[in-house]
Amino acid sequence: MPKSQTKKFLAPQPRVRVLMGELTAMGPGRADLIDAIERTGSISAAGREMNMSYRRAWTLVETTNASFIEPLVVTSTGGSGGGGALVTDFGRGVVERYRAMERKASKAISSDFAVFSKLLSTTPPPAAKAKASKTPQK
């Protein structure tokens, strides 16, 4: 496992997910994808930046949009200039609110999490090692 992935594994952190039943409406990966779409103006470019397929990125955008009362990302079809994707004002607001929730949750449990972190092994479990070795490098 590359050192960067080992360090990432060894830096435990709480993760906030907003669930609708079994489905994730918003979580860290979806927020990161929306941020990447904002930067790149493209679902495919955002997916490449995050080492995910266009299909996976598109599916995440579709299901995330369907989870909210308004779309977070809108797309335009291709043509001579190509298509694109735009994060809506509503989408920016959702991601900002989600990031604020993450900060509040981390702050609220920071002392418990510090103690809990000391109980974790410093060696990744075999499943984490196998998954990390299959992860493409940037």
Side-chain angles (χ1 to χ4, degrees), residues 101-114:
M101 291 167 50
E102 280 186 314
R103 288 188 299 274
K104 287 177 189 175
S106 291
K107 184 176 179 180
I109 65 168
S110 63
S111 62
D112 290 323
F113 199 75

Side-chain angles (χ1 to χ4, degrees), residues 37-65:
I37 292 168
E38 179 86 66
R39 275 191 309 280
T40 64
S42 163
I43 293 173
S44 58
R48 281 191 302 274
E49 187 178 289
M50 296 181 66
N51 292 319
M52 78 173 61
S53 70
Y54 172 75
R55 178 171 167 74
R56 175 72 177 142
W58 176 255
T59 300
L60 286 170
V61 168
E62 271 190 319
T63 58
T64 303
N65 276 346

Side-chain angles (χ1 to χ4, degrees), residues 76-84:
S76 59
T77 55
S80 61

Side-chain angles (χ1 to χ4, degrees), residues 17-26 63-64 66-68:
R17 285 182 175 71
V18 179
L19 304 176
M20 293 178 65
E22 300 270 327
L23 299 174
T24 302
M26 181 57 64
T63 58
T64 303
S67 297
F68 289 89

Side-chain angles (χ1 to χ4, degrees), residues 127-138:
K129 287 180 186 177
K131 185 177 179 182
S133 68
K134 292 179 185 178
T135 303
Q137 298 298 305
K138 290 184 181 179

Side-chain angles (χ1 to χ4, degrees), residues 84-124:
L86 177 71
V87 176
T88 64
D89 289 340
F90 180 80
R92 273 187 225 91
V94 166
V95 172
E96 287 171 13
R97 173 68 57 180
Y98 172 76
R99 297 291 190 200
M101 291 167 50
E102 280 186 314
R103 288 188 299 274
K104 287 177 189 175
S106 291
K107 184 176 179 180
I109 65 168
S110 63
S111 62
D112 290 323
F113 199 75
V115 172
F116 189 87
S117 295
K118 292 177 183 176
L119 304 175
L120 295 170
S121 171
T122 57
T123 305

Side-chain angles (χ1 to χ4, degrees), residues 1-15 113 117 119-132:
M1 175 184 307
K3 281 187 176 184
S4 62
Q5 287 181 336
T6 303
K7 287 182 182 179
K8 185 176 181 181
F9 176 82
L10 295 177
Q13 59 186 1
R15 303 306 297 253
F113 199 75
S117 295
L119 304 175
L120 295 170
S121 171
T122 57
T123 305
K129 287 180 186 177
K131 185 177 179 182

